[in-house]
Structure formats: structure tokens, C-alpha cells
Amino acid sequence: MTDNDTPAFTVGDLTVAEDAGTASVPVSIDNPSSVDTVVSITTVDNSATNPADYTTTTVTATIPAGQTTVDVTIPITDDLVGEPTEDFTVTGTVASGNTSNASDIGTVTINDNDTPSIVIGDVTVDEGIGTATVPVSISNPSSVDTVVSITTTTGTAGTADYTETTVTATIPAGQTTVDISIPITDDVIDEPSEDFTVNGNVVSGNTTNTDPSGTVTITDNDGLPMLTVGDVIVDETDGTASVPVSIDTPSSVDTVVSITTTDNSATNPNDYTTTTVTVTIPAGQTTVDVSIPITDDLVGEPTEDFTVTGTVASGNTSNASDIGTVTINDNDTPSIVIGDVTVDEGIGNATVPVSISNPSSVDTVVSITTTTGTAGTSDYTETTVTATIPAGQTTVDISIPITDDVIDEPSEDFTVNGNVVSGNTTNTDPSGTVTITDNDVAPCPSLVDSDGDGLTDCEETTGIDDPGTPLSPPNDDDGPTSDPNDPCDPISTSSLVDSDGDGLTDCEETTGLDNPNTPLSPPNDDDGPTSNPNDPCDPISTSSLVDSDGDGLTDCEETTGLDNPNTPLSPPNDNDGPTSNPNDPCDPISTSSLVDSDGDGLTDCEEITGLDNPNTPLSPPNDDDGPTSDPNDPCDPISTSSLVDSDGDGLTDCEEITGLDNPNTPLSPPNDNDGPTSNPNDPCDPISTSSLVDSDGDGLTDCEEITGMDNPNTPTVPTGPSDPNDPCDPIGINTTDSDGDGLTDCEETTGIDDPSTPLSPPNDDDGPTSDPNDPCDPISTSSLVDRTEMA
């Protein structure tokens, strides 16, 4: 009889937690069998692998006759790595028994118990450190990369305190942390600790949370600012004193300061106006000015001052208060004067005023003494006295006794000297003159002329002209005559005294004033002993011909550079050994200007400076331009001839090198059919290289193609294939494509794109193609050699 109950064989699917330790997989038949059913069990990796997630198992399971199921135990690995749900397959194959199917497959799914949480760490940094290093971490390793998008959000710290940052942080599989760096700004502003937020968003990976955030706290490295009330000095006329109230570094908050003033030597309201005010130094700034009115009076007074006190009312400073001083310079300091007075000797006393120009705030005390002049102690009584001008007043008189004698005499005078011993004046030693007029009749005639010079004794003694005498004395050939109106003709002293016998009078030498009675040119002015007051190199008794270094030029000439007309135009020893010439910049004292190192007829100095030495020939004697050098010729340096013509083209080497024309060569080179000729004014015509050679016959000269400079003698539009204005088109290379890859040899060699070629080469599957923008793909060598083709 045929059995219609043959059982079907099944390997069951199972889901287990990673920490279950084992998976019990049911192996079943759907109805009992009369014989044992023996099944061979094997496992196969899927997303779960051996041994990381489970232990490979090969075992035989037997379902006893009459039963329907048996469990197969497979070990599960409990690791510490966060990972997604994973599975492996369990295959059962019937080894003996009676089933309708020979095999079946089941799946074991493992649920992970290690899914990590993600954290962005809180960090505190000093603002001077430059960057904040923020850790982005997961609680345990994951089997996949954890990718987190990071952004920053301002808090009490703003964008002036750090740099807004958007970045992606990746924690690699198997690792737990990665750092991100956020720039921190080191400013100079005092401020409290500030913070901003670092936000994260998990964009891939396996975490229990997806939007972590952390806080970065920035601690300030700027000390508390110090408050200073500045000291200022003002003139009384300024009207106001601007007193700076400052902190030494900016603060993040307003600094409010209460200002008060206090009298010192300056008082309110006489010198300034008492001021009480509150000032604010705004956050981020360091100073503000306080204006205090200053009084401009008319009283002379010493320098005075008052104090300005600042007290911090709110803000953040290292000191609570500071004091500054305002010093007021007076503009009314009086000058002191002792008056000049004239008194008749019969009056008995000279009343002399001692005055100041304006009132002073203090007493002005002056010590007074007298000094004889033409009036002696027989004409007045020497007096020493102290005069005090009281504060607020301007003058006081002193009295000096005058002697009334019986002698006829001219007016006489003496001096009254003062010395300020206390008080405030611009000058401290005034003096005045007391002139005593005589009240006695002259004992002798007024027209006595003792020396017979046409001037009376009285005129000569007093210097006062007698209108009864001639304006011009009759004997004024200036022999014995003296003229009180002539500063070079004093009484009894001839104006023609010539102490050093140099032909110039002492008076002329002393005053520098010419005496018209002396010769225009001193008779002994060979400049031996002669001195000339009109010559800065010829002082009295000092010869202007001193020649310390014996070079034929005087020290004065060498020192001042002024020529002495009495010295030779050409110094006598100017073979230029020891000779120096102050008028020659190439000839300082003791340094010869005629050294000619290369013997070319031009001195080294001429060659170095280009300045001509007038003592050398205008045309050097050897200037066939063999060894000769010419400092006025940039093509003729020392020992280098300017006429060397190495290629025999009619232009000198120097002309060809410098492009400067030598006026001694033809304007047009004789062989300039541009065969061998070179032209220094043509950048395409160097020595021995013709500017019209066209090696590739493209209508552009080799020089044009090399330099990229157009030769105006060639066609404007080339007829051939190369273009000097195209860096990819040198001689003989234009669109040549040696390897047929769609890029020219020039593009591949230079890496410069030829705009005439396709942007993308047509054969760039990178078989035979080469790409100049790819350093791994040179001409004829592919960077993608296809091994299958090689096989």
C-alpha cells in the first residue's frame, strides 16, 4: 500500500539577542515518521560572520521515530561592537529517513545589544590657545563608520570670538572618537567667560541618538583693565582742559566713571570751574575726554594745578579709582622794568620806578644795587635796598641820593641793577639808568681844539656835535683826524691802524666794515700775512694759505670747497700724487684723482662716476678704443673696449648686449641685409642670429616663435602652421598628435590647453589616451593598462 503521509522537512528561522549566548534552531518534520530522521546541519556566513558574530557549526541532528522536532544549538558571540542586525544561514540535509524534501535552509537573525550613543564633548579653552579641539565620540566601537555633520551656534560667544565652522566628522569603524578643530579668536578685550554650541547630526552609522551637542567655553586671557585719569598741562588761554579718562585695554562692558575736581594751588572759580560729571567709556573703546573750563584772568601767577578724581561707578577694572592733575601755565607772567630817569643834580634824590607789566598774584621782591658809570660815587650815593611790589599792584619807587657839586661837567649816569629774589616774572635781572644833568657853568671855552683836527675837545670827549663847527673837519685826510660819526674813526684812535701790516685796518678786520680811505685791494694781498675780512678763508692773523697736507690746496679750500683766488688754478703738485682739489669730487684730501688703473688715459674716478676730471685730456690719447675706456660711454667700462665686434656685423658687442647705440658706429650697419647682421635695437636679432631666419617656413621667424615678439618686417598674419603668440605652437610643433589620443604633443608636454582641441579627448577611455592634466598619463604610456588585453 502506498504511504501518503511522507513528512516535509524544515529548518526553522530564528531571531536571537546577541547576549543570548546560543541560538536553538528547530529542525522539524511536519508529521511523525516511523523511522529516525537524521539530518546533517551546516552554517554559512551572511552579514553575520564566524567567529565575530557566531561559531560555525557542523553537526548531525536526529529526529527520533514518532517525534517531529529537535533543536540544534549554535553559539552566538556577544561582542562590544555596535553593529546593525545581522544574520547567517543554517542548512539541513537529510542523511537518512523518509522525507518529501532532501534539504531546507533557515536563517538566524542576531539583534545587536551594543548600539553606541554619540556625544559631543564640552570643552573649555583659553582664548589665546588659537583653536578649540572638540571630541566627537561614541560610547563603544561600531562596525561601520559613524559620520556626523557638525555646525556651530553662537551663544554668549559670538562670531567675533570664534570662527563659525561647518564640517563633517567621521569616526572610523572600530574606533570611538575623532576631534574637530574650531578656530578661537584671541582679542584684546577684557570679557567674562563666553560659550557657543557645537551641534551634531548623525548622517550615517548606527547610534542610539542622532543629534548630540556640546558646549565650548572660552576663558578670557586679558587682564582686568586699569583706570587712568590723565595728567594734562594747559595754557590759561586754552579755555578748557580736556582730561583723558582711560582704561588700558578694551572691556566688553561699558565703564562708567564718576568725575570730581579738587582745588590745589589752582582754585575755583579764579583758575577753573569745579566740575562733577559722569562719563562712560563704551564697551570696546578705551578712552573718553572730560572737559573742564579754565579761567583766563589778567593776573600774573605761578604755574598752578588742581586734581581730577575718577571713581568707577560700574564696569570691570582692576582699580576702583585714579587721580590726575591739571597744570595751568599762566599767560600773564609780568616782565619787570627799572625805569630810566633823568634828574638835575640839584634835585637831591632820584626817584626810580620799579615796575611789572601787569599785576601778580604774589609779592614781587627785588634786590636793588647801583653801579657807577660816567657818574661815580662823588655824584650819587651807592645804594643797596630791597623793593617789594605787593600782590595786585604794579609799581614801587626807590630813592637814590644825588650829590649837588660845584663842578662843571657833562651829563653823567650810573646804573640801577635789580635781581628778583621772589615772585614770578619773565625776566629776573632788570636794569635802569639814572642820568644826572649838570647845573654848573662850564669853566672853559667850548671851542678848544687841542689836537688841531677841526673837532673841539668837547666834541671828541662827549661825542656831541657842536653846531658851531664844520660838518666835515678840515683835516679829515684821516691822518690825525677823528670823527665821532665814523665807527672806524674813534677819538684819538686812527682808523688806519694796521696791527698785522696786511693792508687792512684793525677796524675793517674787526667790524667787517670797509674804510673807503683804504685801498680796495690790500697792497700785501699775495696772501702771505694778509687777511681779508670779506674772505671767509682769510681771518685776522690766520693765513688762508695754510696747507696741512702740502698738496698745494689750502685747508680752507679743502674744508669749505671755496676757491682762494690767491692760490694757483692748478695746484703745483697736481701730478696727483699727494695733491687734492676741493673742487673735484674725485680728489679728496690725500686721495689722488689721477689714478688710472687700466692705463687707458681716463682716471678710475672718471670711469666710476662719469664725472670728467678737467686735468685729463678731453679725448683720451689711446681712444682708438682698444684698451681705452670712456666713463661717458655705457658700452666702454674699464678695460673693456666699446668697439669690439665679435660677429663682424658692423654693430659692437656692447650695442648688441645693451641696445644702446655707440655714436662712433654707423647709424645703419653696412651689412644689414640681415644675413649675418645683428641689430641691438631688434630683440629678434641677437649676435650671429638673423632675425629673418624661418626654419620651418611658416612665415614667422625663429626669433618671433622663440620670443613671441613680432618682427614688423614679417607678415601680420602668418601663412604657415606655427604661431608665436600661442605657447602650444613652437617651431615644428602645432597640432601634431603623436599617439593619436586627441591631445597635441604640445598640450601633453607643457600641460597648457590648446583651445583648438576638444575639451575632452575623443578616445579618453584611457586605453591609449594620454592626458596632460594627469601626471600618471604621459605620451604613449597609458595609466590604465588593461591586463585583460595583455592576457
Side-chain angles (χ1 to χ4, degrees), residues 1-6:
M1 186 172 60
T2 301
D3 187 12
N4 61 351
D5 298 310
T6 302

Side-chain angles (χ1 to χ4, degrees), residues 568-579:
L569 290 178
S570 298
N573 192 23
D574 204 359
N575 57 5
D576 226 333
T579 305

